[in-house]
């Protein structure tokens, strides 16, 4: 019998994904580290953005005209976020354009409540278009999947959030310090933040510990009278508390990634001052760096990784006693468990493989 030539592996064409966005750290880290047959189109540059800009917002791919012009360039359309400014009618037009050209829609439900919008009706209306229209849904936690099934009667595949910090940084030792440092980063005072009530409780709670300090960071635009984010009332009270020695206040420009990792690694505990929300990339970065998290009981933060929780939501307000207790427990428990590069590498490979399988399923 003649010897048969070795079977050549079947060539599988790349699955080309129009991802909205593609350059965000979450999406980049849902991709395999080595080629796996999935390629994501680069984010088109928004009108007016300089050629050197990394900015992806507002996403050009959300325009139905972009879909009509570029439908031959991609196989799957995967929406993550960035549609805050789109009306339900505009999202419906996008869905119609995708259906017209036979392009499946995948949507990862990061936010059931948009942290940038005070009125939930705006995001609810968008979800009422996108979630029923999607061919497949992904979300990050079982609680979010349960909510999606309850509200829209749609199943969602639960895939964990990948690492946020780049893998080589995960092996770097945490800096040593002799104080128990609790941080609240007010950023630019997003609508879902209730900074002052949280800071007041923390200042009282940490006064119990002689080796503890509270550090509050805020972006410079909050202190700038000419900036839209300026909040004189918040700044006035933070400065007063700092002058009384109740906290350390740092006002600065936005951190780049390296500065943000250095900041988080310098804390023993990061307290999330949110009164509504769903999931958190900030929490994931803390897990990567070994910083404990005290998270509110709104949303599904505690389902992402084990963390201490306190009562804080838009309906019941802030439960000061539970926040006080959570900080005390963080002090008594000592250092948080830190993700390892090995764990995060394995998890990333599993997440990438799950995305590949899901894309294949909608293309059959």
């Amino acid at each position: 019998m003649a010897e048969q030539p070795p079977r050549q592996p079947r060539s599988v064409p790349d699955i080309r994904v129009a991802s909205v966005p593609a350059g965000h750290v979450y999406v980049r880290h849902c991709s395999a580290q080595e080629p796996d047959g999935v390629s994501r189109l680069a984010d088109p540059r928004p009108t007016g953005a300089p050629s050197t800009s990394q900015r992806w917002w507002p996403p050009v791919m959300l325009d139905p005209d972009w879909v009509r012009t570029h439908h031959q360039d991609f196989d799957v359309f995967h929406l993550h976020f960035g549609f805050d400014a789109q009306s339900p009618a505009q999202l419906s037009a996008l869905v119609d354009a995708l259906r017209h050209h036979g392009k499946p829609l995948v949507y990862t439900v990061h936010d059931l409540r948009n942290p940038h919008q005070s009125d939930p009706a705006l995001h609810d209306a968008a979800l009422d278009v996108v979630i029923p229209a999607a061919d497949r849904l992904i979300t990050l936690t079982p609680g979010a999947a349960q909510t999606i099934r309850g509200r829209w009667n749609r199943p969602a595949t639960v895939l964990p959030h990948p690492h946020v910090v780049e893998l080589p940084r995960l092996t770097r030792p945490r800096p040593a310090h002799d104080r128990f440092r609790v941080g609240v980063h007010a950023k630019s005072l997003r609508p879902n933040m209730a900074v002052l009530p949280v800071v007041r409780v923390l200042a009282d709670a940490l006064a119990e510990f002689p080796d503890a300090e509270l550090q509050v960071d805020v972006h410079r635009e909050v202190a700038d009278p000419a900036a839209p984010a300026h909040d004189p009332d918040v700044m006035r009270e933070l400065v007063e508390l700092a002058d009384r020695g109740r906290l350390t206040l740092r006002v600065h420009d936005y951190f780049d990634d390296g500065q943000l990792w250095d900041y988080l690694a310098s804390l023993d505990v990061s307290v999330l001052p949110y009164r509504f929300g769903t999931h958190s990339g900030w929490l994931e970065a803390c897990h990567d760096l070994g910083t404990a998290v005290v998270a509110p009981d709104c949303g599904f933060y505690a389902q992402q990784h084990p963390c201490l929780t306190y009562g804080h939501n838009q309906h019941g307000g802030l439960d000061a006693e539970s926040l006080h207790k959570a900080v005390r427990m963080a002090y008594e428990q000592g250092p948080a468990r830190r993700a390892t590069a090995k764990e995060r590498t394995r998890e990333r490979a599993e997440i990438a493989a799950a995305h590949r399988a899901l894309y294949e399923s909608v293309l059959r």
Side-chain angles (χ1 to χ4, degrees):
M1 184 175 180
E3 183 177 349
Q4 297 294 316
R7 178 177 295 178
Q8 297 298 315
R10 184 172 63 92
S11 175
V12 179
D14 276 2
I15 298 174
R16 304 164 303 166
V17 182
S19 180
V20 182
H24 189 279
V25 64
Y26 170 90
V27 180
R28 288 191 285 106
H29 291 174
C30 282
S31 304
Q33 292 181 274
E34 301 296 333
D36 69 341
V38 174
S39 60
R40 291 172 174 84
L41 276 62
D43 293 309
R45 190 167 64 252
T47 302
S51 60
T52 56
S53 173
Q54 299 296 314
R55 181 164 64 89
W56 54 266
W57 190 91
V60 176
M61 290 182 186
L62 294 180
D63 187 338
D65 286 338
W66 183 91
V67 173
R68 285 188 279 270
T69 303
H70 295 275
H71 66 91
Q72 293 183 337
D73 299 333
F74 66 95
D75 305 299
V76 177
F77 194 94
H78 192 159
L79 179 61
H80 289 274
F81 31 72
F83 54 92
D84 311 49
Q86 306 300 114
S87 69
Q90 289 172 315
L91 290 171
S92 294
L94 171 67
V95 169
D96 290 344
L98 292 170
R99 286 177 174 165
H100 177 76
H101 292 287
K103 301 299 178 179
L105 170 63
V106 176
Y107 174 43
T108 296
V109 188
H110 293 268
D111 298 313
L112 286 163
R113 177 70 194 275
N114 191 316
H116 302 284
Q117 296 174 341
S118 298
D119 184 356
L122 300 171
H123 195 60
D124 287 346
L127 295 182
D128 283 340
V129 173
V130 177
I131 288 180
D135 295 277
R136 294 288 191 281
L137 297 169
I138 299 170
T139 194
L140 310 181
T141 56
Q146 183 177 3
T147 299
I148 293 164
R149 183 176 285 279
R151 285 176 60 179
W152 292 279
N153 195 30
R154 294 293 312 275
T157 300
V158 177
L159 297 177
H161 198 300
H163 65 98
V164 173
V165 179
E166 297 297 335
L167 292 169
R169 178 71 190 251
L170 269 63
T171 62
R172 187 185 302 182
R174 285 174 56 84
H177 55 270
D178 57 4
R179 303 276 288 172
F180 177 68
R181 186 175 297 141
V182 176
V184 175
H185 201 310
K187 303 182 184 178
S188 296
L189 302 181
R190 285 189 324 206
N192 74 327
M193 289 188 173
V195 173
L196 288 180
V198 169
V199 166
R200 293 175 192 132
V201 173
L202 291 175
D204 290 340
L206 294 177
E208 298 180 2
F209 311 120
D211 60 342
E213 64 176 318
L214 173 60
Q215 178 178 313
V216 177
D217 285 64
V218 64
H219 290 151
R220 197 177 306 280
E221 59 187 340
V222 178
D224 180 0
H230 178 52
D231 193 319
D233 295 332
V234 169
M235 288 306 305
R236 186 180 303 112
E237 183 162 347
L238 291 179
V239 170
E240 179 186 344
L241 288 168
D243 289 343
R244 290 166 51 199
R246 305 295 303 281
L247 57 83
T248 300
L249 177 62
R250 300 201 316 174
V251 180
H252 51 78
D253 294 325
Y254 286 66
F255 288 145
D256 63 25
D257 284 352
Q259 292 169 327
L260 180 56
W261 310 152
D262 288 344
Y263 158 74
L264 290 176
S266 74
L267 304 177
D268 295 287
V269 179
S270 180
V271 179
L272 308 184
Y274 308 153
R275 58 196 180 99
F276 59 84
T278 312
H279 301 117
S280 171
W282 189 276
L283 182 151
E284 297 289 340
C286 288
H287 182 57
D288 289 336
L289 296 167
T291 300
V293 172
V294 173
D297 60 0
C298 59
F300 304 103
Y301 305 113
Q303 291 187 13
Q304 290 182 242
H305 294 288
C307 58
L308 296 164
T309 59
Y310 69 103
H312 196 192
N313 56 68
Q314 203 166 15
H315 305 292
L318 171 63
D319 179 355
E321 183 179 351
S322 66
L323 178 55
H324 199 127
K325 180 180 179 181
V327 173
R328 187 184 308 114
M329 288 183 64
Y331 181 84
E332 293 171 351
Q333 289 177 0
R337 183 187 176 280
R338 182 179 185 181
T340 67
K342 182 178 180 180
E343 291 169 344
R344 286 299 217 179
T345 299
R346 181 182 66 249
E347 181 183 60
R348 177 170 173 174
E350 292 169 351
I351 293 169
H355 277 81
R356 164 88 199 198
L358 189 144
Y359 296 149
E360 289 175 336
S361 74
V362 298
L363 291 172
R364 291 188 184 124

